[in-house]
Amino acid sequence: MFPSFFIAHGAPMIALENNDYTQFINELGKSLPRPKAIVLFSAHWESQTQQVSDVEEFSTIYDFGGFSEELYRIQYPAKGQKDITHEIIGLFEKQGISFSVDTSRGLDHGAWVVLRLLYPNADVPVISMSVNSKLAPKEQYQIGKALAALREQDILIIGSGGTVHNLRALKWAEDNGQADDWALAFDEWLEGRLKAWDVDSLFDYRALTPASQYAVPPYGSEHFVPIFYAMGAADQEREAKLLHRSYRYGNLSHSVWQFG
């Protein structure tokens, strides 16, 4: 059975960079058995109703500005997989989860940056999924849990975001791997709760760790919540492993978690 993963997608430029983090994700893709398909929840696709893609071939969305022109020339023409989309629809209907099917949206950089590092040739089918940061964490977890059966079919489930993601706090001139104390405090608290599979504390993270107000700022939790979708997909095993963690720009966390 495939594990599920939470993978930080970092700043868009990692799509062009060769560093420890990009190398790690690339090697992760090589180390895994080849998946039948990938179901990916992206922080950059927010929707009040759960969206499920049914796209024949994805376009590439450049949902950012002010970066190198080379970044805007990247294409990631992954194909969809209609039968898996239909299976997801059936699983959601069985669990009473509201959803809508999207037939046109391309892959945003939260999706294609990670996918391109894992599978550079865009040769693994993809089903793109939205996130809803307004849902309670327990509900996000339940959506992931509803898809757990897919892992038995060699389908890889990924949540793409960032455990510490506060654009207003980034220090773009500081790229030395050092991290602010509050970023470390939050990630260390999170590590303990994830490894213990303490969902009660995780679902109440805002109240239980003061660092959350900086790591997951009140104006935006969309980068953090994909971890609950990925975690829910491994509810049967309840095992969490931290595979990688590093920092850039003072507090931007590059973390990879494996569940199951």
mmCIF file with all atom_site columns, all heavy atoms in Angstrom, residues 203-215:
data_model
loop_
_atom_site.group_PDB
_atom_site.id
_atom_site.type_symbol
_atom_site.label_atom_id
_atom_site.label_alt_id
_atom_site.label_comp_id
_atom_site.label_asym_id
_atom_site.label_entity_id
_atom_site.label_seq_id
_atom_site.pdbx_PDB_ins_code
_atom_site.Cartn_x
_atom_site.Cartn_y
_atom_site.Cartn_z
_atom_site.occupancy
_atom_site.B_iso_or_equiv
_atom_site.pdbx_formal_charge
_atom_site.auth_seq_id
_atom_site.auth_comp_id
_atom_site.auth_asym_id
_atom_site.auth_atom_id
_atom_site.pdbx_PDB_model_num
ATOM 1   N N   . PHE A 1 203 ? -6.051 19.235 15.632 1.00 0.00 ? 203 PHE A N   1
ATOM 2   C CA  . PHE A 1 203 ? -7.250 19.946 15.185 1.00 0.00 ? 203 PHE A CA  1
ATOM 3   C C   . PHE A 1 203 ? -7.438 21.266 15.944 1.00 0.00 ? 203 PHE A C   1
ATOM 4   O O   . PHE A 1 203 ? -8.132 22.167 15.462 1.00 0.00 ? 203 PHE A O   1
ATOM 5   C CB  . PHE A 1 203 ? -8.493 19.072 15.366 1.00 0.00 ? 203 PHE A CB  1
ATOM 6   C CG  . PHE A 1 203 ? -8.528 17.843 14.491 1.00 0.00 ? 203 PHE A CG  1
ATOM 7   C CD1 . PHE A 1 203 ? -9.396 16.798 14.786 1.00 0.00 ? 203 PHE A CD1 1
ATOM 8   C CD2 . PHE A 1 203 ? -7.695 17.717 13.395 1.00 0.00 ? 203 PHE A CD2 1
ATOM 9   C CE1 . PHE A 1 203 ? -9.438 15.664 13.984 1.00 0.00 ? 203 PHE A CE1 1
ATOM 10  C CE2 . PHE A 1 203 ? -7.713 16.585 12.583 1.00 0.00 ? 203 PHE A CE2 1
ATOM 11  C CZ  . PHE A 1 203 ? -8.593 15.559 12.880 1.00 0.00 ? 203 PHE A CZ  1
ATOM 12  N N   . ASP A 1 204 ? -6.803 21.374 17.107 1.00 0.00 ? 204 ASP A N   1
ATOM 13  C CA  . ASP A 1 204 ? -6.925 22.587 17.932 1.00 0.00 ? 204 ASP A CA  1
ATOM 14  C C   . ASP A 1 204 ? -5.595 23.341 17.981 1.00 0.00 ? 204 ASP A C   1
ATOM 15  O O   . ASP A 1 204 ? -5.269 23.984 18.976 1.00 0.00 ? 204 ASP A O   1
ATOM 16  C CB  . ASP A 1 204 ? -7.358 22.187 19.346 1.00 0.00 ? 204 ASP A CB  1
ATOM 17  C CG  . ASP A 1 204 ? -7.958 23.358 20.121 1.00 0.00 ? 204 ASP A CG  1
ATOM 18  O OD1 . ASP A 1 204 ? -8.465 24.317 19.486 1.00 0.00 ? 204 ASP A OD1 1
ATOM 19  O OD2 . ASP A 1 204 ? -7.912 23.322 21.358 1.00 0.00 ? 204 ASP A OD2 1
ATOM 20  N N   . TYR A 1 205 ? -4.828 23.247 16.882 1.00 0.00 ? 205 TYR A N   1
ATOM 21  C CA  . TYR A 1 205 ? -3.460 23.784 16.878 1.00 0.00 ? 205 TYR A CA  1
ATOM 22  C C   . TYR A 1 205 ? -3.399 25.274 17.179 1.00 0.00 ? 205 TYR A C   1
ATOM 23  O O   . TYR A 1 205 ? -2.453 25.748 17.819 1.00 0.00 ? 205 TYR A O   1
ATOM 24  C CB  . TYR A 1 205 ? -2.774 23.483 15.539 1.00 0.00 ? 205 TYR A CB  1
ATOM 25  C CG  . TYR A 1 205 ? -3.324 24.248 14.363 1.00 0.00 ? 205 TYR A CG  1
ATOM 26  C CD1 . TYR A 1 205 ? -2.741 25.445 13.930 1.00 0.00 ? 205 TYR A CD1 1
ATOM 27  C CD2 . TYR A 1 205 ? -4.423 23.770 13.648 1.00 0.00 ? 205 TYR A CD2 1
ATOM 28  C CE1 . TYR A 1 205 ? -3.244 26.135 12.851 1.00 0.00 ? 205 TYR A CE1 1
ATOM 29  C CE2 . TYR A 1 205 ? -4.917 24.461 12.554 1.00 0.00 ? 205 TYR A CE2 1
ATOM 30  C CZ  . TYR A 1 205 ? -4.339 25.642 12.156 1.00 0.00 ? 205 TYR A CZ  1
ATOM 31  O OH  . TYR A 1 205 ? -4.827 26.336 11.077 1.00 0.00 ? 205 TYR A OH  1
ATOM 32  N N   . ARG A 1 206 ? -4.385 26.031 16.774 1.00 0.00 ? 206 ARG A N   1
ATOM 33  C CA  . ARG A 1 206 ? -4.332 27.479 16.995 1.00 0.00 ? 206 ARG A CA  1
ATOM 34  C C   . ARG A 1 206 ? -4.353 27.821 18.487 1.00 0.00 ? 206 ARG A C   1
ATOM 35  O O   . ARG A 1 206 ? -3.670 28.749 18.923 1.00 0.00 ? 206 ARG A O   1
ATOM 36  C CB  . ARG A 1 206 ? -5.485 28.180 16.289 1.00 0.00 ? 206 ARG A CB  1
ATOM 37  C CG  . ARG A 1 206 ? -5.313 28.267 14.790 1.00 0.00 ? 206 ARG A CG  1
ATOM 38  C CD  . ARG A 1 206 ? -6.053 29.461 14.207 1.00 0.00 ? 206 ARG A CD  1
ATOM 39  N NE  . ARG A 1 206 ? -5.908 29.519 12.777 1.00 0.00 ? 206 ARG A NE  1
ATOM 40  C CZ  . ARG A 1 206 ? -4.867 30.034 12.155 1.00 0.00 ? 206 ARG A CZ  1
ATOM 41  N NH1 . ARG A 1 206 ? -3.852 30.515 12.853 1.00 0.00 ? 206 ARG A NH1 1
ATOM 42  N NH2 . ARG A 1 206 ? -4.814 30.074 10.844 1.00 0.00 ? 206 ARG A NH2 1
ATOM 43  N N   . ALA A 1 207 ? -5.117 27.082 19.237 1.00 0.00 ? 207 ALA A N   1
ATOM 44  C CA  . ALA A 1 207 ? -5.237 27.361 20.672 1.00 0.00 ? 207 ALA A CA  1
ATOM 45  C C   . ALA A 1 207 ? -4.060 26.806 21.462 1.00 0.00 ? 207 ALA A C   1
ATOM 46  O O   . ALA A 1 207 ? -3.721 27.343 22.523 1.00 0.00 ? 207 ALA A O   1
ATOM 47  C CB  . ALA A 1 207 ? -6.541 26.776 21.204 1.00 0.00 ? 207 ALA A CB  1
ATOM 48  N N   . LEU A 1 208 ? -3.425 25.761 20.952 1.00 0.00 ? 208 LEU A N   1
ATOM 49  C CA  . LEU A 1 208 ? -2.437 25.040 21.757 1.00 0.00 ? 208 LEU A CA  1
ATOM 50  C C   . LEU A 1 208 ? -0.995 25.484 21.540 1.00 0.00 ? 208 LEU A C   1
ATOM 51  O O   . LEU A 1 208 ? -0.135 25.128 22.345 1.00 0.00 ? 208 LEU A O   1
ATOM 52  C CB  . LEU A 1 208 ? -2.557 23.533 21.486 1.00 0.00 ? 208 LEU A CB  1
ATOM 53  C CG  . LEU A 1 208 ? -3.883 22.906 21.920 1.00 0.00 ? 208 LEU A CG  1
ATOM 54  C CD1 . LEU A 1 208 ? -3.888 21.419 21.611 1.00 0.00 ? 208 LEU A CD1 1
ATOM 55  C CD2 . LEU A 1 208 ? -4.128 23.143 23.415 1.00 0.00 ? 208 LEU A CD2 1
ATOM 56  N N   . THR A 1 209 ? -0.713 26.205 20.485 1.00 0.00 ? 209 THR A N   1
ATOM 57  C CA  . THR A 1 209 ? 0.658  26.686 20.277 1.00 0.00 ? 209 THR A CA  1
ATOM 58  C C   . THR A 1 209 ? 0.659  28.147 19.840 1.00 0.00 ? 209 THR A C   1
ATOM 59  O O   . THR A 1 209 ? 0.146  28.478 18.766 1.00 0.00 ? 209 THR A O   1
ATOM 60  C CB  . THR A 1 209 ? 1.414  25.817 19.249 1.00 0.00 ? 209 THR A CB  1
ATOM 61  O OG1 . THR A 1 209 ? 2.630  26.450 18.888 1.00 0.00 ? 209 THR A OG1 1
ATOM 62  C CG2 . THR A 1 209 ? 0.596  25.587 17.990 1.00 0.00 ? 209 THR A CG2 1
ATOM 63  N N   . PRO A 1 210 ? 1.208  29.035 20.684 1.00 0.00 ? 210 PRO A N   1
ATOM 64  C CA  . PRO A 1 210 ? 1.237  30.461 20.340 1.00 0.00 ? 210 PRO A CA  1
ATOM 65  C C   . PRO A 1 210 ? 1.940  30.740 19.010 1.00 0.00 ? 210 PRO A C   1
ATOM 66  O O   . PRO A 1 210 ? 1.601  31.712 18.321 1.00 0.00 ? 210 PRO A O   1
ATOM 67  C CB  . PRO A 1 210 ? 2.004  31.085 21.513 1.00 0.00 ? 210 PRO A CB  1
ATOM 68  C CG  . PRO A 1 210 ? 1.827  30.123 22.640 1.00 0.00 ? 210 PRO A CG  1
ATOM 69  C CD  . PRO A 1 210 ? 1.784  28.772 22.014 1.00 0.00 ? 210 PRO A CD  1
ATOM 70  N N   . ALA A 1 211 ? 2.909  29.901 18.627 1.00 0.00 ? 211 ALA A N   1
ATOM 71  C CA  . ALA A 1 211 ? 3.660  30.131 17.387 1.00 0.00 ? 211 ALA A CA  1
ATOM 72  C C   . ALA A 1 211 ? 2.777  30.007 16.156 1.00 0.00 ? 211 ALA A C   1
ATOM 73  O O   . ALA A 1 211 ? 3.148  30.473 15.074 1.00 0.00 ? 211 ALA A O   1
ATOM 74  C CB  . ALA A 1 211 ? 4.828  29.154 17.299 1.00 0.00 ? 211 ALA A CB  1
ATOM 75  N N   . SER A 1 212 ? 1.604  29.410 16.307 1.00 0.00 ? 212 SER A N   1
ATOM 76  C CA  . SER A 1 212 ? 0.735  29.221 15.141 1.00 0.00 ? 212 SER A CA  1
ATOM 77  C C   . SER A 1 212 ? 0.276  30.543 14.550 1.00 0.00 ? 212 SER A C   1
ATOM 78  O O   . SER A 1 212 ? 0.002  30.631 13.350 1.00 0.00 ? 212 SER A O   1
ATOM 79  C CB  . SER A 1 212 ? -0.489 28.378 15.516 1.00 0.00 ? 212 SER A CB  1
ATOM 80  O OG  . SER A 1 212 ? -1.332 29.079 16.416 1.00 0.00 ? 212 SER A OG  1
ATOM 81  N N   . GLN A 1 213 ? 0.207  31.601 15.353 1.00 0.00 ? 213 GLN A N   1
ATOM 82  C CA  . GLN A 1 213 ? -0.250 32.884 14.826 1.00 0.00 ? 213 GLN A CA  1
ATOM 83  C C   . GLN A 1 213 ? 0.730  33.452 13.811 1.00 0.00 ? 213 GLN A C   1
ATOM 84  O O   . GLN A 1 213 ? 0.351  34.265 12.958 1.00 0.00 ? 213 GLN A O   1
ATOM 85  C CB  . GLN A 1 213 ? -0.461 33.878 15.962 1.00 0.00 ? 213 GLN A CB  1
ATOM 86  C CG  . GLN A 1 213 ? 0.814  34.285 16.698 1.00 0.00 ? 213 GLN A CG  1
ATOM 87  C CD  . GLN A 1 213 ? 0.536  35.290 17.786 1.00 0.00 ? 213 GLN A CD  1
ATOM 88  O OE1 . GLN A 1 213 ? -0.122 36.309 17.561 1.00 0.00 ? 213 GLN A OE1 1
ATOM 89  N NE2 . GLN A 1 213 ? 1.017  34.990 18.998 1.00 0.00 ? 213 GLN A NE2 1
ATOM 90  N N   . TYR A 1 214 ? 1.989  33.019 13.871 1.00 0.00 ? 214 TYR A N   1
ATOM 91  C CA  . TYR A 1 214 ? 2.990  33.435 12.888 1.00 0.00 ? 214 TYR A CA  1
ATOM 92  C C   . TYR A 1 214 ? 3.160  32.380 11.792 1.00 0.00 ? 214 TYR A C   1
ATOM 93  O O   . TYR A 1 214 ? 3.251  32.698 10.608 1.00 0.00 ? 214 TYR A O   1
ATOM 94  C CB  . TYR A 1 214 ? 4.334  33.678 13.569 1.00 0.00 ? 214 TYR A CB  1
ATOM 95  C CG  . TYR A 1 214 ? 4.283  34.682 14.689 1.00 0.00 ? 214 TYR A CG  1
ATOM 96  C CD1 . TYR A 1 214 ? 4.375  34.282 16.023 1.00 0.00 ? 214 TYR A CD1 1
ATOM 97  C CD2 . TYR A 1 214 ? 4.119  36.047 14.420 1.00 0.00 ? 214 TYR A CD2 1
ATOM 98  C CE1 . TYR A 1 214 ? 4.307  35.199 17.051 1.00 0.00 ? 214 TYR A CE1 1
ATOM 99  C CE2 . TYR A 1 214 ? 4.054  36.970 15.445 1.00 0.00 ? 214 TYR A CE2 1
ATOM 100 C CZ  . TYR A 1 214 ? 4.148  36.547 16.763 1.00 0.00 ? 214 TYR A CZ  1
ATOM 101 O OH  . TYR A 1 214 ? 4.074  37.458 17.785 1.00 0.00 ? 214 TYR A OH  1
ATOM 102 N N   . ALA A 1 215 ? 3.208  31.110 12.200 1.00 0.00 ? 215 ALA A N   1
ATOM 103 C CA  . ALA A 1 215 ? 3.446  30.027 11.237 1.00 0.00 ? 215 ALA A CA  1
ATOM 104 C C   . ALA A 1 215 ? 2.262  29.832 10.306 1.00 0.00 ? 215 ALA A C   1
ATOM 105 O O   . ALA A 1 215 ? 2.431  29.571 9.107  1.00 0.00 ? 215 ALA A O   1
ATOM 106 C CB  . ALA A 1 215 ? 3.753  28.733 11.979 1.00 0.00 ? 215 ALA A CB  1
#
